Amino acid sequence: MLARAIGNVVGLPVVQFRISALMNSLLGETERRFAQAFSALEAMSPNVVFIDEIEKAFGESSERDGGTMMRCTGALLSWLSDNTTPTSSLGLATRSLAWVR
């Protein structure tokens, strides 16, 4: 909702970037999907990019993923810092809490 509000204020469309949707078990597929997503975001600019589930990029990477998440996190950070297209990025991490009465 915050990303949509920001998009409305600045008059730009909001694009949701879901890290979990890009993950794949095939070797090299996750990295390819990240590269495709970055290209699509640049082609659709100017826009506001809402990075959903950003905590997955900075959480513990298991040994079983062969370093895929670490490489993708590096690619995400590089894209955020080196991107020259007019794109605003907004990363939000949310957490569900159980309410105890």
Side-chain angles (χ1 to χ4, degrees), residues 73-88:
T73 301
L76 174 64
L77 293 174
S78 294
W79 181 78
L80 289 170
S81 67
D82 300 339
N83 184 20
T84 58
T85 58
T87 301
S88 299

Side-chain angles (χ1 to χ4, degrees), residues 28-39:
E29 184 65 15
T30 300
E31 291 91 336
R32 187 186 69 76
R33 287 181 176 189
F34 267 76
Q36 276 185 324
F38 297 146
S39 295

Side-chain angles (χ1 to χ4, degrees), residues 39-60:
S39 295
L41 290 172
E42 291 171 5
M44 295 173 8
S45 68
N47 54 43
V48 174
V49 180
F50 168 57
I51 304 172
D52 194 15
E53 300 175 345
I54 196 169
E55 73 278 4
K56 288 189 180 359
F58 300 105
E60 288 184 28

